[in-house]
Amino acid sequence: MSSNRTDQTMKPATAAKKLGVYLPATPAEFQEGVVTRSELNALQADPPQWLQTLRAEGPHPRPVVAAKLGISIAGLARGGVTDPLTTAQIEALKTDLPDWLQQERATQADVRKEAVRVKEKQEQQEQQEKQEREQQDKRDKPTRPSRPTRTTAPRRRS
């Protein structure tokens, strides 16, 4: 067994995704090299200035933009937003509240309500099935007959 353990590495695109930043906006040295798991952990624990700025001001990748707007990534595409947006552009969209954004937020709210309804229904069905199994187990479990009372027979003496 060797103690020379190599650290897991990842492509810059993967690291950028895990950090929630837009890769083309990161510094060249980040984009060109590989990132180890320990380097990623260090970036998450103590982000350098460039990472703090990117997270605060953008440009942000689509998943982050969608989350900040409260819609899905598909909703962004339906709304015609294909490019990364800065925090200022996201705030402007929130302020202007175009029709497509209102509609996508309503759609997202409906999706969430439906997910909650389906989850509750599934939990209810599981609870009902559990109760039915318990009742079936009670019916299938043989009841132990009560012990017959022993009458003591006279002992035989030999």
Side-chain angles (χ1 to χ4, degrees), residues 69-146:
L69 291 174
I71 61 175
S72 67
I73 296 171
L76 277 179
R78 285 190 293 267
V81 179
T82 56
D83 297 327
L85 300 178
T86 64
T87 301
Q89 291 170 316
I90 293 170
E91 291 304 318
L93 277 173
K94 285 180 174 179
T95 303
D96 295 344
L97 210 57
D99 291 339
W100 68 267
L101 182 56
Q102 291 177 29
Q103 183 177 350
E104 289 301 329
R105 282 183 169 177
T107 300
Q108 190 70 9
D110 291 343
V111 167
R112 287 186 182 123
K113 284 180 195 171
E114 179 64 11
V116 167
R117 186 192 69 77
V118 167
K119 183 178 178 183
E120 288 174 350
K121 182 178 179 182
Q122 188 177 24
E123 289 172 352
Q124 188 179 31
Q125 285 176 339
E126 289 171 359
Q127 183 66 26
Q128 185 177 359
E129 288 171 2
K130 181 181 175 185
Q131 289 174 348
E132 289 172 0
R133 280 192 307 271
E134 288 172 353
Q135 289 174 355
Q136 186 66 34
D137 288 347
K138 284 180 182 178
R139 279 181 265 167
D140 291 346
K141 187 176 180 181
T143 56
R144 206 160 124 185
S146 60

Side-chain angles (χ1 to χ4, degrees), residues 53-67:
T53 303
L54 270 179
R55 285 179 170 168
E57 299 171 11
H60 302 288
R62 287 179 306 171
V64 174
V65 173

